[in-house]
Amino acid sequence: MSAQKEPANIGRVLSFLREWDRGDRTVRGRMLNTFLTQNSGRTSHELELEFAQVASLFLARLTTWMKLTYMFGTFLGKQLKAIGIFLSASSHDQYLVEFLEDGGVLTLLDILGHPRSKEEEKREALRLLLTVSNAGRKYKEIICESHGVTGIAECLAKSNTDETQETAGVLLESISHGNPKYQNQIYKGLIALMTCTSPKAQQLALHNLHALQCKMKTAHCSIVEPLLNMLRSLHLEVQDEAIRLILDLKCYDVRPLLLNGLVTRLGPTKEEVQHHMEESEMIKMTGTLPVFVQQAAAAKAIRLLAKDSDELSRELLSLGVIQRLLYTMGNREHADAQIQASLALEHFISSYPVIEEHVQRGIGSTLFEAFMHQTDTLYMNMNESQAEILLTNKVHITEVVLALFSEKLNKPRLTMSRLRSAARNGLRAGEEASKAAEPKRNRSNKAAKEEEPLNASSPSCSRHSFHPPADVELLRSQLLRWYDNNKRELPWRTLAVTESDLNIRTYAVWVSEIMLQQTQVATVIDYYNKWMKRWPTVRHLSAATLEEVNQMWAGLGYYSRGRRLHEGAQKVVSQLKGQMPRTVDGLLKQLPGVGRYTAAAVGSIALGQVTGAVDGNVVRVLCRLRAIGADSTSAAVTEALWRLANTLVDPERPGDFNQAVMELGARVCSPRGPVCSQCPVQSHCHAFRTVQGKRGGTPGKPDRKPSTLPDIEDCVSSEACPLCPSEPWDEALGVQNFPRKPPKKPPRVERTLTCVVTRPGGGGGGGGGEEGGDEYLLTRRPSTGLLAGLWEFPSLLQGEKSSSSKDKAALCARVSGLLAGDLTESLFRYAGEVVHVFSHIRQTYVVHSVRLRDAGAQTPSKKAQWLTRSALQEAAVSTGVKKILELCDSVDGQKEQSCSGGKRQNCTGTKKKKNQRASKKPKLSASDSGRRQVSLSAFFSHVKQES
Ligand code: SF4
């Protein structure tokens, strides 16, 4: 600001503030409207400019007015929005501190609880609190110290719109993240929230508890009862979240309470049923009883827990789960309870023969046979006497049985089909068990489709899995220690650690992940730094033009990535109120160009979400660690790798863990030349052990234990295992036998005619000071497809029956069309060929050049422009264009050389013309100069206006 302007601006601001102070509610309403219209999305620097460096004075007035009037609702929504402009204006905490000092947080919490506050006002207050929370740990603590957790939880429980509830849920998640001092308070607040009556609030409480529980060392016993009660919910999302949390809690000391509670809920007593009968409203509405809904959900949870480990199965068996499951199967009042109980029972029977014997004895061969034949559908055909047998069964798994169970645990397990065939053939399943030679399982029913939490794939060999918990814990700690000591310092890693604003952090990691797709780290660093300097937040990027984005991306390749980032930023600002999604699911669904890997990587690194992330490096490391040799692009291997990654990821440091695996893949376990001797997880690596086993030990290490693992060739062509190698072991490859990929398809071959058209430049103060330099004709590619929206030399695909004369004719027509004039083919000179390989196309550019004498040659189309040499170098052009330019330069250079080497006579004319061009500017008409390149920025702003 100039010295003369400064006092004038201060005067204007003081008069604005005076008007505010003296104004009544109408005046202030008008002033608020103007402020909102003119300042939305401004940075703190822009606000300070607007308010002559005293913007805080207006913020203080807004905060005070809100404090005094929120209970009357005077323009409350607008006041909150205006304060929001200040709080989101900068990642620094200048305005935040002032707002907090004026009691802003307490007022926002009061607004949440005030009976007259409208839903949209509460939502706005929650968003402001979210901005405060995202500013860092000390701000989260201030909210908690102000009893914010209770206020927000109550708002979540009582609110009647999904949007407000979701905002409150996100806020609670944000407060719980990185806030160890108040973690326990938030945890208890969420437990209390489960007892509210709003299903949406229950779901969000469970979701947040799931995220928080993983960070806690213990679980509070008060969580068990309300959690089990959630299984009564008629809302499937609530039930699913509750079961997910139950699965989390299996590792904590509340496990006995939880298992006991689940088994108890399989058999509601007559009193319980009677009591719930009195809840006639529910029955009228749903035709079912909540205790039966809970019964079905408990059976489902029991099945998932039992499938998790033998230890859990044993604990459930000792609690009498089999008798209760049979009882539940007999409940003809609720089909879902019958189905879930059948599936759980089927798991126990198919896993442990001793259970099968007891069940058969307990319910009789006929009913048992019926169950074996039609596990999924028995409930539809069950008669009264069968139901009675189930309801009154006396199948007790006693201590003796459990002892037997221990003995028989190691015996071959039966497949369901074998059991069914035994039942059909009238054989005792025990006899069939002794015949069962193969350990394979081939389950085709519904149960087989459920997730196997810790295994790579249910029908695969056990060597493809990790056996928790000791192995997994050890691998995590070894890998993270190595990562802490060896990781490369990269700009996006630094931002992910130091940036306290969650929104900016998520944006920064998103940008890095998109740039790193298909591009090497070393190449990305420079682009990333420039990008973040120019567009430090998602709002900045959304305000850029696509042309600017393409220009910034030029040379990085795979240009649709930049376009998608730009599209995503605009979507975040226009549809998500400038807030980046806060979950993996949100990232996946709401951001264009974000797939499963990118969502998981951003979610874990920026948001601390506990999820594995599988990219090319991770595929290689996991395939080697677990000897997965089947086609690594197959669906079975892909799913198995994701399951492994999700099993391994460290719940305390998910982002670091995922980056550690990628770093290992990039620097130690590389595609060719892995350095196994320096690998921190070598002791877990099946590929390494297989190689050692085949070589008969490492020289110099006589004490190495012989491997107990099966030879890799034992698995080759195993029909049952979709993860084992389908090709024979190649001795020369060593650990590089993993992973295997299908042979690459050869790239499509294309030939494109292209023409470098130049005209004498007129200077005019632009183009990087190249007065008199040549200008180049460029055209814009279509807005979709390969190199969408980039600039290139006039081009067209070469026809099948091409010849030199046909090529020239075609190019001549193309260029003439662009210039709206008739050129002659004799102007076209063949310059050579340039090959550029895209991921799937081998492109050969057949290059011609044309030098026009007329400096005023026009380009009537908006899709064609003249660019100076320096503008072309900076423009959004692909690497192919630059290669073509280099070819033309080298041809020109050769010509120059041959001229000075004795062919002076032939070249004189050209040289003379060049000299003329350099010394004499061509005259241009007014309209000509309007189409000419003046400077790069002027050029792009011109294009922007036109489009
Ligand atoms: Fe890769 Fe070798 Fe380490 Fe195995 S031991 S993970 S093959 S570097």
Side-chain angles (χ1 to χ4, degrees), residues 501-534:
D501 186 318
L502 195 58
N503 216 32
I504 298 179
R505 190 164 73 228
T506 311
Y507 164 72
V509 178
W510 174 41
V511 173
S512 71
E513 284 300 334
I514 298 291
M515 284 190 172
L516 287 164
Q517 289 170 4
Q518 318 280 348
T519 310
Q520 305 249 330
V521 168
T523 313
V524 167
I525 292 175
D526 245 17
Y527 280 89
Y528 183 79
N529 285 336
K530 279 188 209 151
W531 182 287
M532 292 304 291
K533 195 169 169 201
R534 184 156 181 194

Side-chain angles (χ1 to χ4, degrees), residues 620-621 624-625 664 668-670 674-677 679-683 685-688 735:
R620 186 167 56 259
V621 172
R624 288 176 182 170
L625 282 175
L664 186 78
V668 177
C669 193
S670 53
V675 200
C676 297
S677 59
C679 178
V681 292
Q682 188 200 72
S683 62
C685 183
H686 288 353
F688 180 77
V735 295

